[in-house]
Amino acid sequence: MPGKKVLTIKIKIMTDRVKKLWPELEWINNADLREKVAATWELALQQSVLTTKDLETIPFTLLCGPDLKVSFMAHKRCVVHVAKESGEKMNAFFKEDLPVNMDVLIAGAILADVGKLLEYELKDGKSVQGKYGKYLRHPFSGVSLAEKCGVPPEVCHIIATHAGEGDMVKRTTEAYVVHHSDFMTFEPFRDRLKF
């Protein structure tokens, strides 16, 4: 934005813990964007009470009851894989009629829930929504973290619009893909017809 100074946080990029957590970062061809996405995850981990080990064990959502066993990272990585394959198929079938920027798509999918690291806390070994999260849900805190690391607006848009909050604005093609990839791997846990 003209006249506005942007604070960019400089973090040791691509730490081992972020590389291990997100091997899918290598799918982002633009090295600068890849580093900014990694820096956002590193910043979130620095500010969070959650560890990378916690992310492998805590449920991915608090909205499906206490018996949900699918971990945060299992869900997140599934969303990224579904989004990537969807974008590739859309580019193959629709070509220039509905182009998907794969770097933006993958970066947005990886960052969509990064704000949950600030939204969630651990209480008696269980993840709960903390005080911060009661005021600011993860789409808002995720955008804040990403902007501090210099993530471009087209990726921040995906973070902001991937959840229900995004139903109030127009989404980019990449944001639609991430939104639907996220919800198709969430809603069946919450609302599917069971026999």
Side-chain angles (χ1 to χ4, degrees):
M1 297 171 77
K4 181 181 176 187
K5 290 185 180 180
V6 177
L7 170 68
T8 302
I9 304 289
K10 296 289 183 188
I11 293 179
K12 181 180 175 235
I13 306 304
M14 295 291 275
T15 61
D16 287 340
R17 69 180 175 171
V18 172
K19 282 185 197 176
K20 184 176 179 187
L21 197 63
W22 284 111
E24 293 83 0
L25 283 163
E26 293 304 319
W27 294 346
I28 301 171
N29 291 319
N30 181 300
D32 183 59
L33 179 58
R34 184 182 331 113
E35 290 178 358
K36 289 174 179 176
V37 172
T40 304
W41 269 93
E42 185 59 39
L43 179 61
L45 286 164
Q46 289 174 9
Q47 293 184 7
S48 180
V49 299
L50 301 173
T51 66
T52 56
K53 186 176 179 181
D54 294 329
L55 299 179
E56 299 286 357
T57 59
I58 65 169
F60 76 90
T61 182
L62 303 176
L63 302 176
C64 292
D67 297 327
L68 181 67
K69 294 181 178 37
V70 177
S71 75
F72 177 86
M73 285 309 298
H75 176 258
K76 283 311 309 157
R77 293 188 69 221
C78 180
V79 169
V80 173
H81 285 248
V82 170
K84 177 183 181 277
E85 291 186 26
S86 297
E88 289 171 345
K89 292 300 180 192
M90 290 170 74
N91 278 336
F93 283 98
F94 304 143
K95 299 178 180 32
E96 293 306 312
D97 291 321
L98 190 65
V100 176
N101 182 317
M102 293 303 295
D103 276 0
V104 168
L105 175 71
I106 293 165
I110 290 173
L111 289 175
D113 281 345
V114 71
K116 284 190 178 182
L117 275 69
L118 304 184
E119 183 177 350
Y120 288 5
E121 294 179 1
L122 293 176
K123 184 175 183 179
D124 300 323
K126 303 258 185 206
S127 58
V128 297
Q129 188 178 47
K131 181 179 178 182
Y132 180 90
K134 289 179 182 176
Y135 287 107
L136 291 171
R137 273 182 28 89
H138 63 279
F140 301 103
S141 54
V143 168
S144 177
L145 289 164
E147 284 187 327
K148 288 177 184 172
C149 295
V151 173
E154 58 269 30
V155 176
C156 289
H157 168 78
I158 294 171
I159 302 166
T161 62
H162 82 280
E165 289 86 347
D167 294 342
M168 302 302 290
V169 298
K170 288 190 175 195
R171 291 180 171 104
T172 62
T173 301
E174 294 81 8
Y176 268 114
V177 173
V178 173
H179 168 71
H180 286 287
S181 298
D182 189 29
F183 272 70
M184 71 184 277
T185 58
F186 156 66
E187 287 184 333
F189 286 105
R190 186 185 64 183
D191 295 331
R192 73 180 180 265
L193 179 63
K194 297 178 186 176
F195 294 94

